[in-house]
Amino acid sequence: MTTRAATSIVYPETDGMPLPDGEYQAPLYRRIVRDLEVHFSNVPGSRVNGDTFIYYVEGDPRRSVSPDCYVVFGLTEAALRSLSLEENNVYLLWEVGKPPDFILEIGSESTANADLVRKRELYAELGVGEYWRFDATGGEFYGEPLVGERLVNGEYSRIEMLRESDGRIWSHSEALKLDLWWADGELRFWDPVAGRWLLSQEEERDGRLVAETRAETAEVRAETAEVRAEEERTIRVAAESRLAELESELRRLRGE
């Protein structure tokens, strides 16, 4: 296996050019990549990344492609180390040993044509198992909000997309074992096994805040109940003491 240390060829992390439609795409791919990173963080041999160069011809740094999001499974320890080198955050196909199992592109004005033609052909040639395209506008860039394709005999075959009565569109990814949903311009992931949505960072934070607030409320209620119980005990003890005094006084008056 040829390693970076064994060659003088440099495979850059960036081409030095600003991201096309970066301001529009960046918030979308960051959320998508993070959601999947969190979900697959405990899956051995998996890797999630985005906006990273994949070099697919050893010795030719001109042959590269940069997906908005990719997920790859079944990696060896050596392959994981290759993808985890902080000094060179790139995907060298000959080192990793396999292409991504899942790639997602996010539609934008300047990238849509390449996503629909050149990248689609390249991903099929490289053997990427599933290729999905997400259009936050609902179809302005790709002509449809969400489409998934599965590689069959070297060519992509469309995955059937389901449309709900409220306009939401979704289908299942065999590669991720997740359902992908387009809803109101957002891409969400549903885990059919766990029966829940993959939460965004904001939703996780809000959920923690709600849980903390509930815990604090429960703690305050418990403290309040404890204070009330103590007050009632004090009142009861005082009443019992007063009653004993009255009974003692009554016996004295009776000459008992």
Side-chain angles (χ1 to χ4, degrees), residues 19-253:
L19 290 174
D21 301 319
E23 291 185 5
Y24 170 74
Q25 290 178 299
L28 297 172
Y29 90 76
R30 284 172 185 159
R31 171 173 176 167
I32 291 168
V33 169
R34 186 193 175 279
D35 289 354
L36 293 176
E37 276 183 326
V38 171
H39 181 70
F40 292 114
S41 60
N42 294 321
V43 177
S46 66
R47 174 74 169 177
V48 179
N49 209 338
D51 192 36
T52 302
F53 277 111
I54 297 177
Y55 291 93
Y56 50 90
V57 176
E58 185 175 5
D60 189 350
R62 297 170 298 176
R63 305 292 293 277
S64 68
V65 63
S66 180
D68 291 323
C69 173
Y70 73 77
V71 185
V72 58
F73 301 104
L75 296 176
T76 65
E77 288 298 323
L80 286 171
R81 286 195 299 271
S82 170
L83 291 174
S84 300
L85 293 177
E86 296 180 359
E87 66 269 18
N88 199 12
N89 185 29
V90 295
Y91 190 121
L92 303 183
L93 187 58
W94 56 94
E95 285 193 5
V96 177
K98 61 173 294 186
D101 296 283
F102 171 97
I103 281 182
L104 172 79
E105 294 289 359
I106 300 170
S108 71
E109 183 176 2
S110 65
T111 63
N113 288 336
D115 296 342
L116 289 167
V117 182
R118 182 179 62 82
K119 281 189 173 182
R120 181 176 182 271
E121 294 174 352
L122 177 60
Y123 294 151
E125 180 182 339
L126 296 179
V128 176
E130 284 187 6
Y131 176 38
W132 290 72
R133 295 181 294 277
F134 160 57
D135 189 336
T137 68
E140 179 180 340
F141 303 124
Y142 291 146
E144 50 194 325
L146 180 67
V147 59
E149 296 183 296
R150 188 170 292 120
L151 196 63
V152 180
N153 297 324
E155 296 184 356
Y156 281 123
S157 175
R158 288 177 64 94
I159 299 170
E160 181 184 6
M161 307 302 294
L162 306 174
R163 182 182 291 271
E164 300 296 315
S165 59
D166 58 6
R168 293 182 300 165
I169 297 172
W170 69 281
S171 195
H172 182 71
S173 165
E174 287 292 340
L176 302 183
K177 300 299 187 289
L178 297 172
D179 298 337
L180 280 68
W181 286 75
W182 182 96
D184 297 325
E186 289 192 355
L187 181 66
R188 300 299 304 271
F189 297 92
W190 172 262
D191 184 345
V193 175
R196 65 175 181 84
W197 296 103
L198 273 59
L199 298 180
S200 68
Q201 185 175 15
E202 293 77 13
E203 289 168 332
E204 288 180 347
R205 181 195 62 210
D206 293 344
R208 286 195 300 269
L209 290 175
V210 169
E212 290 170 359
T213 299
R214 287 176 177 172
E216 290 173 358
T217 301
E219 184 178 353
V220 169
R221 287 176 178 171
E223 291 175 352
T224 300
E226 185 177 347
V227 169
R228 287 178 179 172
E230 181 63 24
E231 290 176 348
E232 291 175 356
R233 189 185 70 81
T234 301
I235 293 172
R236 185 175 65 255
V237 170
E240 291 173 352
S241 176
R242 179 56 178 163
L243 179 59
E245 291 177 359
L246 291 174
E247 290 176 346
S248 176
E249 179 65 15
L250 181 59
R251 287 194 297 271
R252 187 185 66 78
L253 292 174

